[in-house]
Amino acid sequence: MDKKVLIIEDDANIVELLTIHLYDLGCRIIAEANGQKGLTIAKEEQFDLVILDIMLPGLNGMEICRKIRQTDRLTPILMLTAKSEEIDKVMGLETGADDYLTKPFSIREFIARVKVIFRRKEDNEALQDATPTSSIITYGGLEIDLDKRKVTLNNMRVELSPREFELMALLASNPGKSYSRKRLLNLVWGYDFEGYEHTVNSHINRLRGKIEDDVSNPKYILTTWGVGYRFNEEL
């Protein structure tokens, strides 16, 4: 049992079904039906994955996700929702979730999503282990430490979500190269999230708000009109 998974879900049948299949993947499972209690467990212990329902007693899943991300920006979160409206999916991702599934979902799709999340986490850890020396990108007062996943601006740390950091690292590692919103979704989220390109816009806007002196006249992350975004190659 080399993976530890927290399930915060109040439907006992769903918990039982997910537990059976996660066990087959070699996971150890802790399940909690109450949102507030689930948040406490998430903060007290380390997990390889948190599976989080949106509609919960005690505290809803969106708020739990926000609170987890305030102190933990790396643990993958897979959000479950009975709602199919676009706004719920987008809000789930923008609060810090790595992926989502809309109920009812097939167990095969669930397993596929979990495997992708585990593989991505392992790849990131292996990459960090294989790089003993720090890889730092510097543009004036902006410094991006790829190994430590740390961004500083004028020697002050900038707190970024995992997706914000990955967007920043990708763009800054390839200055001058323009990426479409769809391409950024594929590269940063790890799968084709067709139709939700505006999620990228929201993340870029938040990034600019954290690193730009004037978001209406950005210095670092530029818009390539008709295409998408690029990092300023003239810095």
Side-chain angles (χ1 to χ4, degrees), residues 156-195:
M156 297 290 292
R157 182 159 189 159
V158 181
E159 295 295 340
L160 301 180
S161 71
R163 291 293 171 262
E164 289 168 353
F165 178 84
E166 287 158 16
L167 276 171
M168 168 74 84
L170 174 64
L171 293 171
S173 297
N174 301 276
K177 182 175 181 178
S178 296
Y179 292 87
S180 70
R181 293 163 182 80
K182 183 174 182 178
R183 181 65 174 154
L184 288 171
L185 279 171
N186 290 338
L187 292 171
V188 173
W189 274 259
Y191 59 93
D192 192 352
F193 197 64
E194 186 71 33

Side-chain angles (χ1 to χ4, degrees), residues 61-125:
M62 295 288 191
E63 190 61 27
I64 294 171
C65 187
R66 289 191 187 96
K67 289 181 179 294
I68 289 175
R69 286 295 180 239
Q70 288 173 0
T71 56
D72 178 356
R73 299 181 180 274
L74 299 179
T75 299
I77 297 175
L78 172 60
M79 192 164 278
L80 306 178
T81 172
K83 298 180 180 180
S84 60
E85 288 82 0
E86 177 180 348
I87 187 63
D88 295 299
K89 301 170 185 176
V90 173
M91 283 183 64
L93 292 169
E94 291 185 358
T95 53
D98 295 86
D99 202 351
Y100 78 93
L101 278 174
T102 302
K103 302 175 187 176
F105 52 83
S106 75
I107 198 65
R108 292 180 66 181
E109 182 180 11
F110 167 76
I111 292 171
R113 296 288 184 92
V114 170
K115 285 181 177 179
V116 167
I117 290 172
F118 284 160
R119 185 165 60 248
R120 187 186 306 150
K121 186 172 186 290
E122 290 168 357
D123 289 345
N124 289 338
E125 291 172 350

Side-chain angles (χ1 to χ4, degrees), residues 4-138:
K4 187 176 177 183
V5 178
L6 172 62
I7 303 174
I8 308 178
E9 165 65 70
D10 62 337
D11 187 321
N13 292 328
I14 291 178
V15 172
E16 182 180 7
L17 181 65
L18 299 186
T19 297
I20 291 171
H21 291 280
L22 287 169
Y23 186 87
D24 289 341
L25 291 178
C27 300
R28 181 160 59 93
I29 296 93
I30 295 177
E32 175 55 57
N34 179 275
Q36 186 60 59
K37 292 179 180 179
L39 175 62
T40 300
I41 296 171
K43 288 189 170 184
E44 290 178 347
E45 302 185 39
Q46 281 193 319
F47 293 92
D48 295 288
L49 173 63
V50 175
I51 299 172
L52 178 60
D53 188 25
I54 287 185
M55 303 301 293
L56 289 164
L59 194 65
N60 71 63
M62 295 288 191
E63 190 61 27
I64 294 171
C65 187
R66 289 191 187 96
K67 289 181 179 294
I68 289 175
R69 286 295 180 239
Q70 288 173 0
T71 56
D72 178 356
R73 299 181 180 274
L74 299 179
T75 299
I77 297 175
L78 172 60
M79 192 164 278
L80 306 178
T81 172
K83 298 180 180 180
S84 60
E85 288 82 0
E86 177 180 348
I87 187 63
D88 295 299
K89 301 170 185 176
V90 173
M91 283 183 64
L93 292 169
E94 291 185 358
T95 53
D98 295 86
D99 202 351
Y100 78 93
L101 278 174
T102 302
K103 302 175 187 176
F105 52 83
S106 75
I107 198 65
R108 292 180 66 181
E109 182 180 11
F110 167 76
I111 292 171
R113 296 288 184 92
V114 170
K115 285 181 177 179
V116 167
I117 290 172
F118 284 160
R119 185 165 60 248
R120 187 186 306 150
K121 186 172 186 290
E122 290 168 357
D123 289 345
N124 289 338
E125 291 172 350
L127 181 60
Q128 291 177 1
D129 292 341
T131 311
T133 58
S134 177
S135 178
I136 298 176
I137 301 172
T138 304

Side-chain angles (χ1 to χ4, degrees), residues 189-230:
W189 274 259
Y191 59 93
D192 192 352
F193 197 64
E194 186 71 33
Y196 293 91
E197 285 83 357
H198 50 286
T199 298
V200 173
N201 296 349
S202 298
H203 282 74
I204 291 292
N205 289 339
R206 283 201 295 272
L207 258 180
R208 284 174 168 168
K210 293 178 180 181
I211 66 172
E212 303 285 1
D213 292 332
D214 181 2
V215 294
S216 64
N217 185 30
K219 171 183 177 182
Y220 298 105
I221 299 176
L222 308 181
T223 299
T224 303
W225 297 107
V227 180
Y229 301 102
R230 72 184 189 278

